[in-house]
Amino acid sequence: DNLYYFSLSPEDEAAQIAQKIHEDGLKNPLLLLPSNALGDRTAAGFNSYWQSLEIGEATVAKFRSRDELLTLLRQKLGGTGTALQAGQIQSLADDPASDPNRVDAIFMLASAFEASNIKSSVDMMLGNTPVRPTYYLGSKSNSSGLKPDVALALNGMRLGDMPWMLNRTPDEFTK
């Protein structure tokens, strides 16, 4: 009864994730967002913060379907065409660690299940490439009761914090 959860606006949450990516020293994030109003608001919030750092805009990939997402991933991660199969995408560069334009962070606005599938797809596409992007998830990925395989797939991803208030009286929420 005394536990309250407050979600952030999509713009604020995306700005916080942009701040965290910057604090982690990463410079080339790829945003995987749904092609809808929520995706638009998330991209705007992220890029508003990112541009304030004078880094430029982050790469945004919006999708409507799984097939469209896979095509976008192939393009953004170094593949050149839609006919490539998993494992055929070559290294992002001869020496991926020194490539200044490589994707070093992926922010997904996705459910936990979708995020686990996206990570699996990226891992397959990158093959044996030793350098991997760091994954960041928004609050949409936070859910209880995950199946063990989905929870395991999310291991190592960074999940945005949620504001919580404990043991507060109702009159404190009207101020």
Side-chain angles (χ1 to χ4, degrees), residues 5 21 45 50 53 55 57 75 104-105 110 117 128 133-134 146 151 153 156:
Y5 162 75
I21 289 172
W50 205 250
L53 301 171
I55 297 174
E57 286 196 10
Q75 292 168 350
D104 55 8
N117 284 331
N128 294 329
T134 302
L146 293 178

Side-chain angles (χ1 to χ4, degrees), residues 9-11 14 33-46 60 62-64 109 140:
S9 72
E11 296 87 354
L33 307 172
S35 185
N36 59 26
L38 179 60
D40 293 343
R41 291 178 65 189
T42 300
F46 190 99
V60 177
K62 294 183 183 177
F63 59 93
R64 289 185 187 90
L109 187 60
K140 184 177 177 186

